[in-house]
């Protein structure tokens, strides 16, 4: 099983082909569509099937095409921030402005993240590079109030220690049952896969899917 166990931002054709889909509704998460085996590269026996299916049904993720999800694909910092914003919007009922003419499609999402304390100004300098597992944890540990990340287990990862920038965020998400490890390691410097990020999306939105 993969390290995070999930992935994929909400998508829409903005910049490098991501689809930006709004969250499920003001102040709550709810299914808005049905999954009918849409993605041929997401077989029912895949470890990530349930997460991709649920993320799609709750409008937390789309495919890279009508019939494909690209579960082993990576995604960028901009795409990760877009996903974070849309989850935050679904929870709070907030809105995000449209990109102005001539500015990058993701600029409003970066501004929203800074304004709402999801990231710090200048935290990222290249929004087009692939986001790492460590940076993903830092972003997604800040989306919802701390009460939504209540610890439900003790979880130790051998490659994480307090000197790492992502240590506190990984610990928070791991103990809340949102992320896990592979072979007892988190591998914070590796890029996250789309399949892996879907786990984060669904487990943040739906507490009953969190690992115990």
């Amino acid at each position: 099983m993969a390290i995070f166990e999930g992935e994929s931002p909400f998508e829409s054709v903005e910049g490098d082909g991501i689809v930006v889909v709004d969250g499920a509704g003001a102040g709550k998460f709810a299914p808005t569509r049905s999954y009918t085996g849409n993605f041929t590269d997401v077989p029912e026996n895949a470890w990530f099937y349930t997460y991709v299916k649920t993320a799609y049904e709750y409008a937390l993720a789309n495919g890279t095409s009508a019939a494909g999800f690209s579960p082993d694909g990576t995604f960028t910092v901009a795409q990760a921030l877009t996903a974070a914003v849309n989850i935050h919007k679904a929870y709070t009922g907030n809105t995000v402005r449209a990109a102005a003419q001539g500015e990058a499609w993701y600029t409003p999402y970066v501004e929203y993240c800074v304004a709402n304390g999801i990231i710090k100004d200048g935290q990222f300098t290249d929004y087009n590079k692939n986001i790492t597992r460590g940076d993903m944890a830092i972003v997604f540990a800040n989306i919802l109030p701390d009460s939504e990340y209540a610890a439900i287990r003790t979880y130790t990862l051998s490659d994480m220690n307090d000197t790492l920038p992502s240590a506190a965020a990984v610990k928070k998400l791991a103990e809340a049952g949102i992320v896990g490890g592979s072979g007892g390691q988190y591998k914070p410097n590796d890029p996250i896969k789309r399949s892996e990020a879907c786990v984060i999306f669904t487990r943040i939105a739906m507490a009953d899917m969190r690992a115990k």
Side-chain angles (χ1 to χ4, degrees):
M1 183 182 244
I3 309 257
F4 261 40
E5 308 136 30
E7 180 283 15
S8 170
F10 317 50
E11 302 163 16
S12 169
V13 184
E14 307 250 16
D16 42 10
I18 307 211
V19 181
V20 179
V21 174
D22 284 344
K28 63 180 181 179
F29 302 98
T32 59
R33 57 191 179 183
S34 298
Y35 181 80
T36 56
N38 306 49
F39 307 129
T40 58
D41 53 1
V42 181
E44 290 189 21
N45 62 351
W47 69 263
F48 50 81
Y49 173 82
T50 298
Y51 296 103
V52 173
K53 176 180 180 292
T54 303
Y56 179 84
E57 291 174 338
Y58 279 71
L60 301 179
N62 279 339
T64 53
S65 67
F69 184 76
S70 302
D72 291 329
T74 56
F75 67 106
T76 65
V77 171
Q79 294 170 340
L81 297 185
T82 299
V85 168
N86 284 324
I87 290 176
H88 190 272
K89 286 168 53 187
Y91 185 85
T92 63
N94 291 348
T95 59
V96 61
R97 71 174 178 85
Q101 185 175 2
E103 71 177 354
W105 66 266
Y106 52 78
T107 297
Y109 295 90
V110 175
E111 292 177 350
Y112 182 105
C113 283
V114 172
N116 287 277
I118 297 172
I119 65 170
K120 296 178 180 179
D121 189 21
Q123 183 169 327
F124 296 101
T125 57
D126 184 355
Y127 296 101
N128 293 307
K129 74 173 184 178
N130 289 336
I131 194 167
T132 64
R133 288 188 173 96
D135 283 337
M136 186 79 171
I138 292 171
V139 171
F140 279 76
N142 289 326
I143 298 175
L144 303 183
D146 283 344
S147 59
E148 299 290 354
Y149 299 95
I152 59 175
R153 64 177 181 173
T154 299
Y155 201 87
T156 302
L157 294 155
S158 63
D159 61 344
M160 299 300 300
N161 61 69
D162 292 341
T163 67
L164 298 175
S166 60
V170 172
K171 182 176 187 292
K172 180 179 181 178
L173 294 182
E175 292 189 344
I178 295 170
V179 303
S182 177
Q185 295 187 327
Y186 186 75
K187 301 181 181 178
N189 295 321
D190 286 358
I192 187 174
K193 296 179 181 179
R194 287 176 53 81
S195 58
E196 294 171 340
C198 255
V199 171
I200 296 179
F201 299 165
T202 55
R203 286 181 175 172
I204 284 180
M206 284 147 277
D208 61 352
M209 292 188 71
R210 296 182 183 184
K212 299 297 192 292

